[in-house]
Structure formats: C-alpha cells, structure tokens
Amino acid sequence: QDLMAEVRGLRSDELDRWYDLLADAFAQKGTPRSYFVGHVTSDPAFRPEVIRVAAQGDTLLSTARAFLRSIKIGDTHLRVGGVGEVATHPSARRRGYAELVLSDLLAFMEREGLQLAMLHSSVPQLQEYYGRLGWHAVPMHFLKAVIDSAKLHAGDGTIASAAIAPGTSAIAAITSAIEVAQRRLDDPATIAELQAIHTAKAPSGSFARDDVMWQTWIAASAETHTVWSTSGAYLIVRPVVACLRLTEFFSLATPDVAHAQFLALLRACVQHHQSAPPIHIQAPTALIPPAWIEAVAATPPEPWTDNGHMFRVLPAGEPVVGSVEQLTATLAAAGFAFLTLDSF
C-alpha cells in the first residue's frame, strides 16, 4: 500500500476526472464513458461523497462507489449501500489501492447508518476473499434455453381458468384473449402501470421503488431493455448478443392466467427480436417458474448458478436483520437486486 495516497470522498469538481478514470479502467471490457455518466445523472440518491477515491494530488488512482437504496423485508425497510464501480487505473494496479477505497467505502456506509452492503463479483477468487471478510453469497439460479418456435406458437397442453375455457389450446386462448403491447420504460403512462403492478406483487427482499426512482433510474433503462405488457402483467427483457435475458415478470392474475400472460408476452418479444432462429433465452427461476420455460424449450433447459451476489450486515443492521440464513433465503426468493432493473 502507498501511504502517500489520500483516501476520501470525491469532490464535485472531480466528476469529469472520475469518469475518465472509469473509462480507462474498463477500456478493455469496452464499457463506454457514457455508461458511468448515466449512473450519476439518473440516480436520485447520488451525491459526490458516495464515491470514494484514492488520490495523489489531482490524480485519481482508484475508486469505489455506494449506491444508496432501500430494500423491503416483510413490513420493514432496510437501508442498503450497493457497492459498484470498483476500479483502479491500469497504471496503479496491484498496489493495494482497491483495498483502501473499499475499506473507506464500508466505513462511509457505517457513518451513514446503512444496514446492509451488497455487491456482485464474477471472479471466484474474489467471492472467496469477500466470504472471508464476512460477506454472504446469495445463490441465484437461472435456466438457459433455446426456444422451440412450434411450442411457443402452438402451446403445450391447456390452461384452465375462469378466464380461459378448458380444452382450449394455450396459444389459441392467448391469441383470442390476451392483447400485448410493446412499451417504453421512459413513458409516463407505462411507468404508472408497471409501478402499480410492481408495488402489489414484488416480494419481500425486493428493492423499494418510489415515484422518483421509477422516473429516473428505472426510466434510464429504456434504451437497453424492452417492455411488453398486457392488462395486469408485464415482462421486461434485456437483449444481449445471441440471447434474450428475461429480467422481470410480474402479474396480478391467478397462476394459470399469469402463465398464459407470460406466454403471450414472451411470444411477442421473441417475434420482435427474432432475426433468425434459434432464439436463446435466460430466465431467473426466482421470478419465472422453470416449468414455464421447459414447456417452450427445444431441449431440456440448462441450469446454472451465479454465486457472485453477496451481502454483508453492517453494525446498524445487526439488531434488525436477525438470521443471516433467513435473509439469504428471502433475497434469493426475490431474485435479488442484480436480476432486475434495480441492478447497479
């Protein structure tokens, strides 16, 4: 560690230099500078001191940032600091700066009275390192599948409910009973509809979204996510290279009708994005029942688990969190932050 480095909060006049630091640090990954600018301009809870830096004079060497959020656990809300944008300039790596700023970031969170810290790491060695420091992994389970167009368009059995006549094929019922529209996350009418559904159905363990969060942070995802909705239900998808990542599905309906709504929304999404088969999808099993994916898959879906989602209970949270095991299960059942538009 270089004891000459000053570790502190970012000053407001240093934002441009901070953007440059991140652009340089993530250049190999290809993340554009505009990505980090958006994370500041669209975050209603942002203030410069949530960014911690190691600096020598005017030179920023390393950084880590807290995203201030609230997560609902039962009838209570916990104040959360999401750890993100951890980066060190390529010329300053392997000198201990990242450890310095992460330690300072946790100290900042404690001073703020935050109750939980959260992060994600895709590197197994770092996951083990964080585990030794008191971080707890929340295993997130996914299914990867190739869509069978015939199954998606013909249905797979029947869906019986008060709204769908028994004996009617699932896709026929969808075609005749469910109207689907493509929407935009930055459209006020869409925000109002989705917010009402999310407020009613998002489970314990989900991040709280007030009006401002929907109108800023969530709306900022309009260019990277597509939205498909029907009365009382919506599906949000992030198209990436050769894959459609299903990030959110919520419905106010009974399970059978929700299944029909999901198929209708997925069909519209696949038709919109399909350039040439096959269409690959990735779905979090916490939010979308595996049987729904299996019913439209060309071959048995491939399960995989991401162990990189982690949390740490801060001193202010110890009196209210209770069992770490129970909190882990609650977060896993909710799909955790990184599966939804709340990710940072």
PDB file of all heavy atoms in Angstrom, residues 188-219:
ATOM      1  N   PRO A 188     -44.375   7.960 -19.316  1.00  0.00           N
ATOM      2  CA  PRO A 188     -45.055   8.139 -18.020  1.00  0.00           C
ATOM      3  C   PRO A 188     -46.229   7.189 -17.798  1.00  0.00           C
ATOM      4  O   PRO A 188     -46.417   6.681 -16.681  1.00  0.00           O
ATOM      5  CB  PRO A 188     -45.515   9.601 -18.065  1.00  0.00           C
ATOM      6  CG  PRO A 188     -44.540  10.273 -18.987  1.00  0.00           C
ATOM      7  CD  PRO A 188     -44.225   9.239 -20.041  1.00  0.00           C
ATOM      8  N   ALA A 189     -47.022   6.938 -18.836  1.00  0.00           N
ATOM      9  CA  ALA A 189     -48.164   6.040 -18.673  1.00  0.00           C
ATOM     10  C   ALA A 189     -47.690   4.615 -18.387  1.00  0.00           C
ATOM     11  O   ALA A 189     -48.269   3.903 -17.549  1.00  0.00           O
ATOM     12  CB  ALA A 189     -49.041   6.070 -19.923  1.00  0.00           C
ATOM     13  N   THR A 190     -46.640   4.192 -19.074  1.00  0.00           N
ATOM     14  CA  THR A 190     -46.075   2.866 -18.823  1.00  0.00           C
ATOM     15  C   THR A 190     -45.545   2.771 -17.403  1.00  0.00           C
ATOM     16  O   THR A 190     -45.774   1.773 -16.700  1.00  0.00           O
ATOM     17  CB  THR A 190     -44.947   2.567 -19.827  1.00  0.00           C
ATOM     18  OG1 THR A 190     -45.481   2.584 -21.146  1.00  0.00           O
ATOM     19  CG2 THR A 190     -44.309   1.217 -19.556  1.00  0.00           C
ATOM     20  N   ILE A 191     -44.820   3.790 -16.971  1.00  0.00           N
ATOM     21  CA  ILE A 191     -44.267   3.793 -15.618  1.00  0.00           C
ATOM     22  C   ILE A 191     -45.384   3.634 -14.590  1.00  0.00           C
ATOM     23  O   ILE A 191     -45.277   2.844 -13.639  1.00  0.00           O
ATOM     24  CB  ILE A 191     -43.473   5.091 -15.364  1.00  0.00           C
ATOM     25  CG1 ILE A 191     -42.164   5.073 -16.163  1.00  0.00           C
ATOM     26  CG2 ILE A 191     -43.189   5.265 -13.874  1.00  0.00           C
ATOM     27  CD1 ILE A 191     -41.387   6.364 -16.090  1.00  0.00           C
ATOM     28  N   ALA A 192     -46.477   4.359 -14.771  1.00  0.00           N
ATOM     29  CA  ALA A 192     -47.582   4.292 -13.810  1.00  0.00           C
ATOM     30  C   ALA A 192     -48.168   2.881 -13.736  1.00  0.00           C
ATOM     31  O   ALA A 192     -48.451   2.363 -12.644  1.00  0.00           O
ATOM     32  CB  ALA A 192     -48.660   5.306 -14.180  1.00  0.00           C
ATOM     33  N   GLU A 193     -48.355   2.244 -14.887  1.00  0.00           N
ATOM     34  CA  GLU A 193     -48.931   0.897 -14.911  1.00  0.00           C
ATOM     35  C   GLU A 193     -47.984  -0.122 -14.283  1.00  0.00           C
ATOM     36  O   GLU A 193     -48.392  -0.954 -13.460  1.00  0.00           O
ATOM     37  CB  GLU A 193     -49.260   0.499 -16.352  1.00  0.00           C
ATOM     38  CG  GLU A 193     -50.393   1.302 -16.973  1.00  0.00           C
ATOM     39  CD  GLU A 193     -50.660   0.902 -18.408  1.00  0.00           C
ATOM     40  OE1 GLU A 193     -50.313  -0.238 -18.779  1.00  0.00           O
ATOM     41  OE2 GLU A 193     -51.203   1.730 -19.156  1.00  0.00           O
ATOM     42  N   LEU A 194     -46.718  -0.075 -14.675  1.00  0.00           N
ATOM     43  CA  LEU A 194     -45.754  -1.034 -14.148  1.00  0.00           C
ATOM     44  C   LEU A 194     -45.521  -0.824 -12.656  1.00  0.00           C
ATOM     45  O   LEU A 194     -45.378  -1.791 -11.902  1.00  0.00           O
ATOM     46  CB  LEU A 194     -44.429  -0.927 -14.903  1.00  0.00           C
ATOM     47  CG  LEU A 194     -44.264  -1.802 -16.157  1.00  0.00           C
ATOM     48  CD1 LEU A 194     -45.381  -1.561 -17.163  1.00  0.00           C
ATOM     49  CD2 LEU A 194     -42.909  -1.570 -16.803  1.00  0.00           C
ATOM     50  N   GLN A 195     -45.498   0.429 -12.233  1.00  0.00           N
ATOM     51  CA  GLN A 195     -45.285   0.714 -10.824  1.00  0.00           C
ATOM     52  C   GLN A 195     -46.399   0.121  -9.967  1.00  0.00           C
ATOM     53  O   GLN A 195     -46.143  -0.434  -8.886  1.00  0.00           O
ATOM     54  CB  GLN A 195     -45.188   2.225 -10.596  1.00  0.00           C
ATOM     55  CG  GLN A 195     -44.892   2.602  -9.155  1.00  0.00           C
ATOM     56  CD  GLN A 195     -44.715   4.105  -8.978  1.00  0.00           C
ATOM     57  OE1 GLN A 195     -44.858   4.881  -9.920  1.00  0.00           O
ATOM     58  NE2 GLN A 195     -44.404   4.531  -7.767  1.00  0.00           N
ATOM     59  N   ALA A 196     -47.630   0.226 -10.437  1.00  0.00           N
ATOM     60  CA  ALA A 196     -48.756  -0.317  -9.675  1.00  0.00           C
ATOM     61  C   ALA A 196     -48.640  -1.838  -9.532  1.00  0.00           C
ATOM     62  O   ALA A 196     -48.887  -2.401  -8.454  1.00  0.00           O
ATOM     63  CB  ALA A 196     -50.075   0.053 -10.357  1.00  0.00           C
ATOM     64  N   ILE A 197     -48.246  -2.508 -10.616  1.00  0.00           N
ATOM     65  CA  ILE A 197     -48.097  -3.969 -10.571  1.00  0.00           C
ATOM     66  C   ILE A 197     -46.934  -4.362  -9.672  1.00  0.00           C
ATOM     67  O   ILE A 197     -47.042  -5.265  -8.829  1.00  0.00           O
ATOM     68  CB  ILE A 197     -47.896  -4.532 -11.987  1.00  0.00           C
ATOM     69  CG1 ILE A 197     -49.133  -4.253 -12.859  1.00  0.00           C
ATOM     70  CG2 ILE A 197     -47.617  -6.035 -11.945  1.00  0.00           C
ATOM     71  CD1 ILE A 197     -48.928  -4.550 -14.330  1.00  0.00           C
ATOM     72  N   HIS A 198     -45.802  -3.676  -9.840  1.00  0.00           N
ATOM     73  CA  HIS A 198     -44.611  -3.989  -9.054  1.00  0.00           C
ATOM     74  C   HIS A 198     -44.868  -3.771  -7.564  1.00  0.00           C
ATOM     75  O   HIS A 198     -44.474  -4.593  -6.723  1.00  0.00           O
ATOM     76  CB  HIS A 198     -43.435  -3.133  -9.525  1.00  0.00           C
ATOM     77  CG  HIS A 198     -42.143  -3.427  -8.829  1.00  0.00           C
ATOM     78  ND1 HIS A 198     -41.762  -2.793  -7.671  1.00  0.00           N
ATOM     79  CD2 HIS A 198     -41.138  -4.299  -9.122  1.00  0.00           C
ATOM     80  CE1 HIS A 198     -40.585  -3.239  -7.280  1.00  0.00           C
ATOM     81  NE2 HIS A 198     -40.183  -4.153  -8.136  1.00  0.00           N
ATOM     82  N   THR A 199     -45.521  -2.677  -7.218  1.00  0.00           N
ATOM     83  CA  THR A 199     -45.811  -2.388  -5.816  1.00  0.00           C
ATOM     84  C   THR A 199     -46.672  -3.480  -5.200  1.00  0.00           C
ATOM     85  O   THR A 199     -46.479  -3.877  -4.045  1.00  0.00           O
ATOM     86  CB  THR A 199     -46.517  -1.030  -5.687  1.00  0.00           C
ATOM     87  OG1 THR A 199     -45.656  -0.001  -6.205  1.00  0.00           O
ATOM     88  CG2 THR A 199     -46.853  -0.716  -4.234  1.00  0.00           C
ATOM     89  N   ALA A 200     -47.621  -3.998  -5.985  1.00  0.00           N
ATOM     90  CA  ALA A 200     -48.536  -5.015  -5.477  1.00  0.00           C
ATOM     91  C   ALA A 200     -47.903  -6.396  -5.389  1.00  0.00           C
ATOM     92  O   ALA A 200     -48.248  -7.183  -4.494  1.00  0.00           O
ATOM     93  CB  ALA A 200     -49.782  -5.075  -6.355  1.00  0.00           C
ATOM     94  N   LYS A 201     -46.966  -6.714  -6.276  1.00  0.00           N
ATOM     95  CA  LYS A 201     -46.503  -8.101  -6.409  1.00  0.00           C
ATOM     96  C   LYS A 201     -45.034  -8.341  -6.058  1.00  0.00           C
ATOM     97  O   LYS A 201     -44.647  -9.488  -5.838  1.00  0.00           O
ATOM     98  CB  LYS A 201     -46.753  -8.592  -7.838  1.00  0.00           C
ATOM     99  CG  LYS A 201     -48.217  -8.586  -8.249  1.00  0.00           C
ATOM    100  CD  LYS A 201     -49.075  -9.464  -7.342  1.00  0.00           C
ATOM    101  CE  LYS A 201     -48.760 -10.934  -7.492  1.00  0.00           C
ATOM    102  NZ  LYS A 201     -49.701 -11.778  -6.732  1.00  0.00           N
ATOM    103  N   ALA A 202     -44.209  -7.321  -6.045  1.00  0.00           N
ATOM    104  CA  ALA A 202     -42.793  -7.552  -5.745  1.00  0.00           C
ATOM    105  C   ALA A 202     -42.653  -8.141  -4.347  1.00  0.00           C
ATOM    106  O   ALA A 202     -43.201  -7.604  -3.386  1.00  0.00           O
ATOM    107  CB  ALA A 202     -42.005  -6.252  -5.861  1.00  0.00           C
ATOM    108  N   PRO A 203     -41.942  -9.255  -4.195  1.00  0.00           N
ATOM    109  CA  PRO A 203     -41.897  -9.947  -2.908  1.00  0.00           C
ATOM    110  C   PRO A 203     -40.957  -9.292  -1.910  1.00  0.00           C
ATOM    111  O   PRO A 203     -40.162  -8.410  -2.243  1.00  0.00           O
ATOM    112  CB  PRO A 203     -41.385 -11.336  -3.296  1.00  0.00           C
ATOM    113  CG  PRO A 203     -40.533 -11.079  -4.504  1.00  0.00           C
ATOM    114  CD  PRO A 203     -41.220  -9.970  -5.248  1.00  0.00           C
ATOM    115  N   SER A 204     -41.060  -9.751  -0.663  1.00  0.00           N
ATOM    116  CA  SER A 204     -40.106  -9.346   0.353  1.00  0.00           C
ATOM    117  C   SER A 204     -38.704  -9.674  -0.136  1.00  0.00           C
ATOM    118  O   SER A 204     -38.451 -10.739  -0.689  1.00  0.00           O
ATOM    119  CB  SER A 204     -40.394 -10.100   1.653  1.00  0.00           C
ATOM    120  OG  SER A 204     -39.443  -9.791   2.649  1.00  0.00           O
ATOM    121  N   GLY A 205     -37.786  -8.731   0.054  1.00  0.00           N
ATOM    122  CA  GLY A 205     -36.443  -8.894  -0.464  1.00  0.00           C
ATOM    123  C   GLY A 205     -36.186  -8.063  -1.700  1.00  0.00           C
ATOM    124  O   GLY A 205     -35.057  -7.991  -2.182  1.00  0.00           O
ATOM    125  N   SER A 206     -37.235  -7.418  -2.227  1.00  0.00           N
ATOM    126  CA  SER A 206     -37.089  -6.573  -3.416  1.00  0.00           C
ATOM    127  C   SER A 206     -36.680  -5.162  -3.013  1.00  0.00           C
ATOM    128  O   SER A 206     -36.981  -4.701  -1.910  1.00  0.00           O
ATOM    129  CB  SER A 206     -38.411  -6.503  -4.191  1.00  0.00           C
ATOM    130  OG  SER A 206     -38.841  -7.771  -4.595  1.00  0.00           O
ATOM    131  N   PHE A 207     -36.042  -4.463  -3.935  1.00  0.00           N
ATOM    132  CA  PHE A 207     -35.681  -3.082  -3.687  1.00  0.00           C
ATOM    133  C   PHE A 207     -36.921  -2.208  -3.804  1.00  0.00           C
ATOM    134  O   PHE A 207     -37.770  -2.417  -4.680  1.00  0.00           O
ATOM    135  CB  PHE A 207     -34.615  -2.617  -4.678  1.00  0.00           C
ATOM    136  CG  PHE A 207     -33.217  -2.914  -4.230  1.00  0.00           C
ATOM    137  CD1 PHE A 207     -32.826  -4.213  -3.985  1.00  0.00           C
ATOM    138  CD2 PHE A 207     -32.304  -1.898  -4.037  1.00  0.00           C
ATOM    139  CE1 PHE A 207     -31.548  -4.499  -3.555  1.00  0.00           C
ATOM    140  CE2 PHE A 207     -31.011  -2.167  -3.612  1.00  0.00           C
ATOM    141  CZ  PHE A 207     -30.630  -3.475  -3.367  1.00  0.00           C
ATOM    142  N   ALA A 208     -37.032  -1.234  -2.917  1.00  0.00           N
ATOM    143  CA  ALA A 208     -38.158  -0.308  -2.947  1.00  0.00           C
ATOM    144  C   ALA A 208     -37.970   0.682  -4.097  1.00  0.00           C
ATOM    145  O   ALA A 208     -36.863   1.153  -4.348  1.00  0.00           O
ATOM    146  CB  ALA A 208     -38.260   0.441  -1.619  1.00  0.00           C
ATOM    147  N   ARG A 209     -39.060   0.961  -4.786  1.00  0.00           N
ATOM    148  CA  ARG A 209     -39.038   1.926  -5.893  1.00  0.00           C
ATOM    149  C   ARG A 209     -40.140   2.955  -5.669  1.00  0.00           C
ATOM    150  O   ARG A 209     -41.321   2.642  -5.814  1.00  0.00           O
ATOM    151  CB  ARG A 209     -39.281   1.237  -7.230  1.00  0.00           C
ATOM    152  CG  ARG A 209     -38.285   0.166  -7.614  1.00  0.00           C
ATOM    153  CD  ARG A 209     -38.691  -0.477  -8.928  1.00  0.00           C
ATOM    154  NE  ARG A 209     -37.841  -1.591  -9.296  1.00  0.00           N
ATOM    155  CZ  ARG A 209     -38.101  -2.426 -10.302  1.00  0.00           C
ATOM    156  NH1 ARG A 209     -39.199  -2.261 -11.036  1.00  0.00           N
ATOM    157  NH2 ARG A 209     -37.284  -3.434 -10.575  1.00  0.00           N
ATOM    158  N   ASP A 210     -39.758   4.155  -5.320  1.00  0.00           N
ATOM    159  CA  ASP A 210     -40.762   5.205  -5.200  1.00  0.00           C
ATOM    160  C   ASP A 210     -40.942   5.885  -6.549  1.00  0.00           C
ATOM    161  O   ASP A 210     -40.346   5.488  -7.566  1.00  0.00           O
ATOM    162  CB  ASP A 210     -40.383   6.206  -4.110  1.00  0.00           C
ATOM    163  CG  ASP A 210     -39.039   6.891  -4.369  1.00  0.00           C
ATOM    164  OD1 ASP A 210     -38.520   6.809  -5.511  1.00  0.00           O
ATOM    165  OD2 ASP A 210     -38.504   7.501  -3.427  1.00  0.00           O
ATOM    166  N   ASP A 211     -41.784   6.918  -6.579  1.00  0.00           N
ATOM    167  CA  ASP A 211     -42.073   7.608  -7.840  1.00  0.00           C
ATOM    168  C   ASP A 211     -40.798   8.118  -8.503  1.00  0.00           C
ATOM    169  O   ASP A 211     -40.601   7.970  -9.719  1.00  0.00           O
ATOM    170  CB  ASP A 211     -43.025   8.786  -7.597  1.00  0.00           C
ATOM    171  CG  ASP A 211     -44.415   8.348  -7.183  1.00  0.00           C
ATOM    172  OD1 ASP A 211     -44.727   7.151  -7.327  1.00  0.00           O
ATOM    173  OD2 ASP A 211     -45.189   9.203  -6.710  1.00  0.00           O
ATOM    174  N   VAL A 212     -39.927   8.720  -7.701  1.00  0.00           N
ATOM    175  CA  VAL A 212     -38.707   9.306  -8.257  1.00  0.00           C
ATOM    176  C   VAL A 212     -37.796   8.231  -8.839  1.00  0.00           C
ATOM    177  O   VAL A 212     -37.208   8.411  -9.912  1.00  0.00           O
ATOM    178  CB  VAL A 212     -37.975  10.132  -7.181  1.00  0.00           C
ATOM    179  CG1 VAL A 212     -36.648  10.661  -7.718  1.00  0.00           C
ATOM    180  CG2 VAL A 212     -38.845  11.288  -6.712  1.00  0.00           C
ATOM    181  N   MET A 213     -37.681   7.098  -8.159  1.00  0.00           N
ATOM    182  CA  MET A 213     -36.826   6.028  -8.666  1.00  0.00           C
ATOM    183  C   MET A 213     -37.337   5.516 -10.014  1.00  0.00           C
ATOM    184  O   MET A 213     -36.555   5.258 -10.939  1.00  0.00           O
ATOM    185  CB  MET A 213     -36.747   4.895  -7.645  1.00  0.00           C
ATOM    186  CG  MET A 213     -35.840   3.737  -8.055  1.00  0.00           C
ATOM    187  SD  MET A 213     -34.104   4.221  -8.267  1.00  0.00           S
ATOM    188  CE  MET A 213     -33.606   4.472  -6.566  1.00  0.00           C
ATOM    189  N   TRP A 214     -38.646   5.347 -10.135  1.00  0.00           N
ATOM    190  CA  TRP A 214     -39.208   4.916 -11.420  1.00  0.00           C
ATOM    191  C   TRP A 214     -38.951   5.942 -12.517  1.00  0.00           C
ATOM    192  O   TRP A 214     -38.619   5.585 -13.653  1.00  0.00           O
ATOM    193  CB  TRP A 214     -40.717   4.684 -11.273  1.00  0.00           C
ATOM    194  CG  TRP A 214     -41.088   3.328 -10.768  1.00  0.00           C
ATOM    195  CD1 TRP A 214     -41.380   2.973  -9.479  1.00  0.00           C
ATOM    196  CD2 TRP A 214     -41.196   2.125 -11.537  1.00  0.00           C
ATOM    197  NE1 TRP A 214     -41.662   1.638  -9.402  1.00  0.00           N
ATOM    198  CE2 TRP A 214     -41.564   1.084 -10.642  1.00  0.00           C
ATOM    199  CE3 TRP A 214     -41.033   1.816 -12.888  1.00  0.00           C
ATOM    200  CZ2 TRP A 214     -41.766  -0.235 -11.066  1.00  0.00           C
ATOM    201  CZ3 TRP A 214     -41.238   0.508 -13.300  1.00  0.00           C
ATOM    202  CH2 TRP A 214     -41.592  -0.502 -12.403  1.00  0.00           C
ATOM    203  N   GLN A 215     -39.076   7.199 -12.178  1.00  0.00           N
ATOM    204  CA  GLN A 215     -38.977   8.252 -13.196  1.00  0.00           C
ATOM    205  C   GLN A 215     -37.545   8.580 -13.580  1.00  0.00           C
ATOM    206  O   GLN A 215     -37.314   9.273 -14.581  1.00  0.00           O
ATOM    207  CB  GLN A 215     -39.689   9.512 -12.692  1.00  0.00           C
ATOM    208  CG  GLN A 215     -41.188   9.320 -12.515  1.00  0.00           C
ATOM    209  CD  GLN A 215     -41.816  10.361 -11.611  1.00  0.00           C
ATOM    210  OE1 GLN A 215     -41.168  11.344 -11.224  1.00  0.00           O
ATOM    211  NE2 GLN A 215     -43.075  10.154 -11.237  1.00  0.00           N
ATOM    212  N   THR A 216     -36.578   8.084 -12.815  1.00  0.00           N
ATOM    213  CA  THR A 216     -35.168   8.395 -13.101  1.00  0.00           C
ATOM    214  C   THR A 216     -34.386   7.120 -13.403  1.00  0.00           C
ATOM    215  O   THR A 216     -34.109   6.808 -14.558  1.00  0.00           O
ATOM    216  CB  THR A 216     -34.542   9.148 -11.907  1.00  0.00           C
ATOM    217  OG1 THR A 216     -34.744   8.397 -10.694  1.00  0.00           O
ATOM    218  CG2 THR A 216     -35.152  10.529 -11.761  1.00  0.00           C
ATOM    219  N   TRP A 217     -34.046   6.371 -12.359  1.00  0.00           N
ATOM    220  CA  TRP A 217     -33.191   5.191 -12.525  1.00  0.00           C
ATOM    221  C   TRP A 217     -33.828   4.141 -13.430  1.00  0.00           C
ATOM    222  O   TRP A 217     -33.188   3.614 -14.346  1.00  0.00           O
ATOM    223  CB  TRP A 217     -32.870   4.599 -11.163  1.00  0.00           C
ATOM    224  CG  TRP A 217     -31.877   3.479 -11.215  1.00  0.00           C
ATOM    225  CD1 TRP A 217     -32.144   2.143 -11.233  1.00  0.00           C
ATOM    226  CD2 TRP A 217     -30.456   3.600 -11.283  1.00  0.00           C
ATOM    227  NE1 TRP A 217     -30.973   1.420 -11.295  1.00  0.00           N
ATOM    228  CE2 TRP A 217     -29.916   2.296 -11.324  1.00  0.00           C
ATOM    229  CE3 TRP A 217     -29.583   4.696 -11.299  1.00  0.00           C
ATOM    230  CZ2 TRP A 217     -28.552   2.051 -11.383  1.00  0.00           C
ATOM    231  CZ3 TRP A 217     -28.225   4.440 -11.355  1.00  0.00           C
ATOM    232  CH2 TRP A 217     -27.721   3.146 -11.395  1.00  0.00           C
ATOM    233  N   ILE A 218     -35.100   3.821 -13.200  1.00  0.00           N
ATOM    234  CA  ILE A 218     -35.770   2.798 -14.000  1.00  0.00           C
ATOM    235  C   ILE A 218     -35.980   3.302 -15.427  1.00  0.00           C
ATOM    236  O   ILE A 218     -35.724   2.582 -16.402  1.00  0.00           O
ATOM    237  CB  ILE A 218     -37.105   2.395 -13.360  1.00  0.00           C
ATOM    238  CG1 ILE A 218     -36.896   1.933 -11.910  1.00  0.00           C
ATOM    239  CG2 ILE A 218     -37.796   1.316 -14.179  1.00  0.00           C
ATOM    240  CD1 ILE A 218     -35.983   0.741 -11.752  1.00  0.00           C
ATOM    241  N   ALA A 219     -36.419   4.540 -15.568  1.00  0.00           N
ATOM    242  CA  ALA A 219     -36.654   5.099 -16.902  1.00  0.00           C
ATOM    243  C   ALA A 219     -35.385   5.147 -17.737  1.00  0.00           C
ATOM    244  O   ALA A 219     -35.432   5.051 -18.969  1.00  0.00           O
ATOM    245  CB  ALA A 219     -37.256   6.498 -16.782  1.00  0.00           C
TER     246      ALA A 219
END
